[in-house]
Amino acid sequence: MSLTSLSHFPTPKISHLSTDDFKFIYEPAEDSFLLLDALEKDCVRIEKLRPCICLEVGCGSGICITFLATILKSWPSLYLCTDINHKATEIAQQTGRENGINIQPVTTDLVESLDVRLKGQVDILLFNPPYVVTPESEVGSKGIEAAWAGGERGRQVIDRFLTKVSDLLSEEGLFYMVVIKENIPEEIEQMMKKEGFDMETVLTRRSGPELLSILRFQRTQA
Amino acid sequence: MKLLTHNFLTSNIIKGVKNGYPLSILPGKVEMKEVDFNPEFITRMLPKIEWSALQKAAKECGFEEGLPDTVGEEQLGDTDLLKRVHKALLEIEVVEGKLVCPESGREFPINNGIPNMLLNEDEV
């Protein structure tokens, strides 16, 4: 973990989580903390947006959506989060509570059951996808493997989600996503350009074998 | 699950279901949890709310404290009304219960305040 000493928002407490919990859900790691750092770096941009609805897809422990709510503490918003792993949504709810934040978890696959009514409504969208390159056959579990197994180039779940982003985001909305180099961010940039989005890399950090980046997407401003 | 969240859920993910909205609530355990009242939040959220779905959901949870049939812009200055809307959207917590698809009757469990919308493979 490497939150900078300059950080002025507290990292969410996760001491309520036990090693037993981490048999079922993804333990916050470098990728999670890099997303936190990127949100903190972007805090002025995020606050300026005055978001009404925030959504984290694949929330795991809930640390990222809880942190986003911490940044926006003086600005109330709806904090929705989803995970295909029911244990994860339970723990995310607990993480929110432990930090005095009210988050609204739904157990579902990506944004299923929410996408129709959230059309064009999401102001801040977070996604720390299963980005690890694995055999295709490992993708599709509803357990802890769903937290990392990304199939070929780690893109199976990422690509499935990217097609939904344009429908979900509000006009000014921001979409943050974690990727590794193997996911080929340049190709993702081209895909999203066709959907009308500009991509920027907010932060990049090496963690062991992984070269992690946080990408931010926003509609191309006319 | 707050009724604000419920307002955004549909069951159109089920094969053959067209709208799947609004989901009926079969409440098991419902609690009232106090939440700080922020009129600006309610005012900003109102245009995103399906009012009739909220009205129906509140009724199903046994909360019938005067939600009017419609809310127009001219009523946004009515603090009393905004407080009732606040209560319905944010303070009613469905802790245990079921959500029911209005078209297929498929039930989705709500456990520990969390709706589980996952389907079996043969349902999608």
Side-chain angles (χ1 to χ4, degrees), chain A residues 34-47:
Chain A
L34 189 63
L35 179 53
L36 261 53
D37 287 356
L39 294 174
E40 173 146 45
K41 188 179 171 200
D42 259 12
C43 69
V44 174
R45 187 188 290 265
I46 289 169
E47 281 168 347

Side-chain angles (χ1 to χ4, degrees), chain A residues 50-53 75-78 80 84 86 89-90 93 97 102 104-109 112-114 116-118 121 142, chain B residues 1-2 4-5 7-10 12-13 21 33 38 40-41 44-45 48-50 93 111-119:
Chain A
R50 292 159 57 103
C52 198
I53 298 182
W75 188 253
S77 165
L78 168 61
L80 286 165
I84 196 168
H86 190 63
T89 49
E90 282 185 343
Q93 174 167 264
R97 280 186 190 148
N102 209 316
Q104 294 291 298
V106 176
T107 306
T108 192
D109 182 13
E112 279 189 355
S113 77
L114 288 161
V116 177
R117 284 279 292 118
L118 285 180
Q121 300 291 356
K142 291 187 170 75
Chain B
M1 182 196 67
K2 296 186 187 299
L4 176 55
T5 306
N7 207 267
F8 290 102
L9 287 174
T10 66
N12 71 333
I13 45 175
Y21 190 84
K33 287 189 183 152
N38 186 312
E40 190 174 356
F41 177 69
R44 286 193 306 144
M45 205 47 105
K48 305 177 192 293
I49 295 296
E50 284 288 340
E93 284 278 354
N111 294 127
N112 193 17
I114 304 171
N116 185 336
M117 305 304 291
L118 293 178
L119 296 169

Side-chain angles (χ1 to χ4, degrees), chain B residues 31-65:
Chain B
E31 290 174 359
M32 295 301 290
K33 287 189 183 152
E34 211 174 301
V35 175
D36 289 342
F37 174 56
N38 186 312
E40 190 174 356
F41 177 69
I42 302 296
T43 311
R44 286 193 306 144
M45 205 47 105
L46 265 176
K48 305 177 192 293
I49 295 296
E50 284 288 340
W51 187 258
S52 58
L54 174 66
Q55 238 189 349
K56 181 170 178 285
K59 209 171 200 172
E60 286 164 345
C61 293
F63 177 88
E64 294 188 57
E65 281 176 54

Side-chain angles (χ1 to χ4, degrees), chain A residues 53-57 65 80-82 111 118 122 124-126:
Chain A
I53 298 182
C54 302
L55 168 67
E56 179 174 14
V57 174
I65 188 82
L80 286 165
C81 62
T82 68
V111 280
L118 285 180
V122 180
I124 309 266
L125 180 61
L126 306 180

Side-chain angles (χ1 to χ4, degrees), chain B residues 73-85:
Chain B
E73 267 185 44
E74 66 283 0
Q75 282 154 293
L76 294 181
D78 180 347
T79 307
D80 260 8
L81 173 65
L82 291 186
K83 276 189 179 159
R84 290 200 296 277
V85 177

